[in-house]
């Protein structure tokens, strides 16, 4: 979401962003490497000794849901949300600011809604005992992670919008 206004690059702004961003980057990197190691080990064991890791797909599903949950806030912090602003620069400045605010508010509402739905899906998954196919790993923690990731993304987007 491009804004005609300059970004706030004060030390105070950078400080809260780093405190939020660094743990998510570390968690995301660890999760991606775990998923990569699992996939490589499963493929290696399958091809070399014809004995794949039992339930590797179940583990991969759960790990991937956590990667997605971690990625949402990182996308917001890096400004990588989808916004088509090709025509935006041809509009007058006040209209650009209004449309930028409108797209940010729409993003906040959508992320908050996704968080709310994921939270209630987690409650339903826990009450019904939904699990993965082979290992019977519960789905509820994955839904909770996605709910938390979307909720944090909505809050970060709101904070970023208010900081401008």
């Amino acid at each position: 979401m491009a804004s005609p206004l300059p970004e706030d690059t004060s030390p105070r702004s950078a400080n809260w962003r780093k405190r939020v961003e660094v743990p998510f980057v570390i968690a995301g990197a660890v999760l991606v490497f775990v998923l990569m190691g699992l996939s490589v080990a499963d493929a290696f064991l399958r091809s070399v000794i014809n004995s794949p890791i039992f339930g590797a797909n179940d583990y991969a599903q759960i790990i991937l849901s956590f990667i997605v949950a971690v990625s949402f806030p990182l996308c917001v912090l890096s400004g990588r949300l989808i916004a088509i602003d090709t025509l935006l620069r041809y509009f007058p400045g006040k209209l650009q600011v209004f449309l930028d605010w409108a797209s940010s508010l729409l993003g906040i509402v959508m992320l908050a809604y996704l968080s709310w739905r994921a939270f209630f899906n987690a409650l339903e998954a826990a009450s019904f005992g939904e699990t993965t196919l082979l290992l019977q790993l519960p789905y509820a923690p994955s839904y909770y992670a996605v709910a938390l990731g979307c909720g944090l993304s909505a809050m970060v987007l709101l904070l970023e919008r208010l900081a401008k």
Side-chain angles (χ1 to χ4, degrees), residues 63-105:
I63 293 169
L64 194 56
S65 68
F66 281 90
I67 291 171
V68 168
V70 166
S71 298
F72 278 128
L74 286 174
C75 288
V76 173
L77 284 169
S78 66
R80 303 275 185 207
L81 298 177
I82 297 174
I84 301 172
D85 58 357
T86 307
L87 299 175
L88 191 64
R89 32 191 136 124
Y90 297 113
F91 294 151
K94 289 184 180 186
L95 184 58
Q96 288 180 15
V97 171
F98 171 77
L99 291 174
D100 200 31
W101 267 95
S103 63
S104 292
L105 288 176

Side-chain angles (χ1 to χ4, degrees), residues 7-154:
E7 297 262 343
D8 183 14
T9 56
S10 66
R12 186 175 177 212
S13 171
N15 196 19
W16 78 265
R17 288 175 60 89
K18 259 192 183 148
R19 275 192 250 146
V20 171
E21 191 172 13
V22 168
F24 280 104
V25 169
I26 292 169
V30 167
L31 288 168
V32 166
F33 275 101
V34 167
L35 182 61
M36 180 183 63
L38 176 68
S39 298
V40 169
D42 185 45
F44 180 76
L45 292 173
R46 180 183 310 272
S47 63
V48 172
I49 60 174
N50 199 23
S51 179
I53 297 172
F54 180 74
N57 287 337
D58 288 359
Y59 288 126
Q61 273 184 321
I62 300 300
I63 293 169
L64 194 56
S65 68
F66 281 90
I67 291 171
V68 168
V70 166
S71 298
F72 278 128
L74 286 174
C75 288
V76 173
L77 284 169
S78 66
R80 303 275 185 207
L81 298 177
I82 297 174
I84 301 172
D85 58 357
T86 307
L87 299 175
L88 191 64
R89 32 191 136 124
Y90 297 113
F91 294 151
K94 289 184 180 186
L95 184 58
Q96 288 180 15
V97 171
F98 171 77
L99 291 174
D100 200 31
W101 267 95
S103 63
S104 292
L105 288 176
L106 182 63
I108 291 166
V109 167
M110 289 171 53
L111 287 166
Y113 176 75
L114 286 172
S115 177
W116 175 71
R117 284 305 313 156
F119 179 75
F120 281 105
N121 285 350
L123 293 176
E124 287 179 358
S127 69
F128 293 135
E130 290 183 29
T131 60
T132 59
L133 194 58
L134 291 175
L135 299 176
Q136 302 298 306
L137 300 172
Y139 278 131
S142 297
Y143 283 118
Y144 284 125
V146 170
L148 182 65
C150 288
L152 284 172
S153 299

